[in-house]
Amino acid sequence: MATPVSNTRTTSNHFTDHHPSLEVLGGAHDSFCPAINTHLNRPYNHYPVLATNHHIETIFAAFFRTIPDVKLKRECLRTQDDGTVTLDWVSGDSRNLPENSPILLLLPGLTGGSDDSYVRHMLVRARNKGWRVVVFNSRGCADSPVTTPKMYSASFLGDLDEVVNHVVNRYPNANLYGVGWSMGANILVQYLGKEPGASRFSGAVSMCNPFDLVMSEEDLCKGFNKIYNRSLAKALSSILKKHLMLFEDIGGDYNIPLAANAKIIRDYDEGLTRVSFGFKSVDEYLQNSCSANYIKHVRTPLLCIQAILFTMNLAKNDPIAPDRAIPREDIKENPNCLLIVTPKGGHLGWVAGENAPVGCPWTDPMVMDFLRHLENEKSSTQQ
């Protein structure tokens, strides 16, 4: 599980060659920091008023951030168990980009997809740099079809593995990179730490990763965070309700009415998720879905970005990805990992920088510089 962190922000283990508003640490510090030094040397200037409260920032970003208009071409991929996931590619790229153009695979949050603003902004930024971009929509997300009585989970990596194999086989001469947000980040880091297919990635970025789902659930049951819990549960149930006919005769330990009318995420997981994926309880499911358990095994260049706010020696910012869940010690000891923690940001907010308040998140320019650095190094080595 994650290693607890001291309440104080400045310790002898923290690097100092960055602006003091940021926390920067990791075994890959010397390798990665020069590539993003421009961003690390600047103060994190949050947008006035909006970012003074982590809930306001989270909600504002979710509802008022612009959504770039991009024409996408959808591909439905049938999985080995007859399920279906969808891949959204930028329309026209198959004929306009060279076969060896680097590929960026985007993994949205729990119920997210290619229509989400944070996904679209990253897609546009990468595409403008000449990258081929594809969004992985989980079963039922972003209006993806559901063809079997099985959805997706925070522990199931099979669909991602099939997507990676499919993309790599289609473009064998291109380097593959991944960016994940929230639950997508949790799945991506798990994959990088435990699956053989991880070697197919040349680099990755994890943002607002909950890391430890047990701790994340604990926080989602407190105070105002209950609003997010209910909202996510409603989104999960809405996806399920569109496909209830597939679950009519499923029987067994399933409780489909509980999942379809879930008030909190645990209801949905109890009625559907933990049964579908062979867990005896929701607690067992959550404990086995923590990417913090696998980050020590990551061999792919990995940048992790989290948001936190220290007030009165208490860390409280990201309402879904708690600070105490970040596996700092494992990141420090892993020569392939770098962690950057911003003083504010909410969950998938980061309303800061020159594009604030309605433009791309503060993270996007740095993420792209990091990925381009890896691609330049990879290309030089291959040549």
Side-chain angles (χ1 to χ4, degrees):
M1 290 299 198
T3 304
V5 63
S6 169
N7 285 335
T8 182
R9 187 94 183 264
T10 304
T11 75
S12 59
N13 293 325
H14 288 170
F15 297 107
T16 58
D17 52 347
H18 57 270
H19 194 273
S21 62
L22 302 173
E23 178 187 3
V24 181
L25 60 86
H29 174 271
D30 293 340
S31 302
F32 298 161
C33 283
I36 54 177
N37 193 49
T38 301
H39 307 283
L40 297 182
N41 284 336
R42 299 172 182 169
Y44 181 87
N45 291 323
H46 65 272
Y47 195 79
V49 182
L50 294 178
T52 55
N53 180 282
H54 55 292
H55 295 305
I56 293 176
E57 185 169 11
T58 300
I59 295 169
F60 178 88
F63 289 99
F64 299 105
R65 177 169 277 147
T66 58
I67 302 176
D69 185 20
V70 184
K71 188 175 182 181
L72 302 174
K73 181 178 181 181
R74 174 156 291 188
E75 175 185 14
C76 292
L77 181 64
R78 187 60 63 95
T79 60
Q80 292 183 5
D81 67 348
D82 246 4
T84 303
V85 297
T86 60
L87 299 177
D88 284 335
W89 306 80
V90 178
S91 182
D93 278 0
S94 58
R95 61 178 181 275
N96 294 330
L97 292 177
E99 293 291 308
N100 64 346
S101 298
I103 302 171
L104 184 58
L105 177 63
L106 304 181
L107 285 74
L110 181 60
T111 59
S114 56
D115 291 335
D116 286 295
S117 62
Y118 62 89
V119 175
R120 287 287 184 98
H121 276 286
M122 179 57 69
L123 182 151
V124 168
R125 182 170 291 272
R127 181 58 189 83
N128 287 342
K129 299 297 183 182
W131 286 49
R132 192 185 310 277
V133 189
V134 56
V135 183
F136 168 31
N137 300 299
S138 295
R139 306 182 187 204
C141 293
D143 292 323
S144 299
V146 176
T147 51
T148 64
K150 184 177 182 180
M151 302 300 283
Y152 58 95
S153 80
S155 64
F156 180 58
L157 306 179
D159 284 352
L160 175 56
D161 192 51
E162 292 196 44
V163 167
V164 169
N165 289 332
H166 175 74
V167 171
V168 169
N169 288 334
R170 172 175 286 189
Y171 296 103
N173 298 319
N175 296 320
L176 176 66
Y177 301 84
V179 169
W181 294 267
S182 194
M183 194 57 66
N186 187 67
I187 290 173
L188 179 60
V189 171
Q190 283 186 78
Y191 186 84
L192 295 177
K194 64 186 292 190
E195 294 295 320
S199 61
R200 295 173 179 258
F201 280 98
S202 296
V205 179
S206 159
M207 289 185 277
C208 286
N209 188 340
F211 280 116
D212 189 315
L213 300 195
V214 177
M215 293 184 185
S216 179
E217 190 202 34
E218 289 175 356
D219 281 16
L220 281 171
C221 294
K222 298 176 182 177
F224 190 88
N225 290 356
K226 294 177 183 178
I227 299 295
Y228 306 117
N229 200 338
R230 291 196 287 267
S231 177
L232 289 170
K234 182 178 179 180
L236 287 166
S237 297
S238 296
I239 294 174
L240 175 60
K241 286 178 179 178
K242 294 178 182 179
H243 310 283
L244 277 180
M245 290 183 62
L246 290 170
F247 297 85
E248 282 184 343
D249 303 317
I250 197 166
D253 292 333
Y254 289 91
N255 189 338
I256 300 304
L258 176 64
N261 298 284
K263 302 302 181 184
I264 58 176
I265 299 173
R266 177 171 277 263
D267 292 342
Y268 182 88
D269 289 338
E270 174 60 36
L272 179 63
T273 309
R274 66 97 181 165
V275 187
S276 293
F277 295 95
F279 294 101
K280 296 178 181 179
S281 67
V282 174
D283 291 331
E284 182 187 33
Y285 159 62
L286 295 176
Q287 290 165 2
N288 283 271
S289 305
C290 302
S291 59
N293 297 335
Y294 301 100
I295 201 161
K296 66 180 70 172
H297 304 302
V298 171
R299 298 294 174 263
T300 303
L302 174 65
L303 172 63
C304 301
I305 311 178
Q306 303 289 117
I308 209 68
L309 170 66
F310 281 76
T311 305
M312 299 293 291
N313 289 328
L314 295 176
K316 45 178 272 184
N317 194 262
D318 191 325
I320 296 174
D323 177 76
R324 69 186 190 282
I326 301 173
R328 282 176 168 82
E329 293 305 317
D330 288 339
I331 291 175
K332 285 180 185 178
E333 296 174 7
N334 190 327
N336 305 293
C337 297
L338 179 69
L339 169 69
I340 297 173
V341 183
T342 59
K344 298 193 177 187
H347 189 69
L348 303 179
W350 283 302
V351 182
E354 59 185 18
N355 296 295
V358 296
C360 73
W362 173 88
T363 51
D364 287 13
M366 178 166 59
V367 167
M368 203 63 233
D369 283 352
F370 170 74
L371 293 174
R372 293 176 71 194
H373 165 72
L374 296 181
E375 172 63 10
N376 291 337
E377 284 198 334
K378 189 79 173 177
S379 299
S380 298
T381 302
Q382 291 171 342
Q383 290 176 359

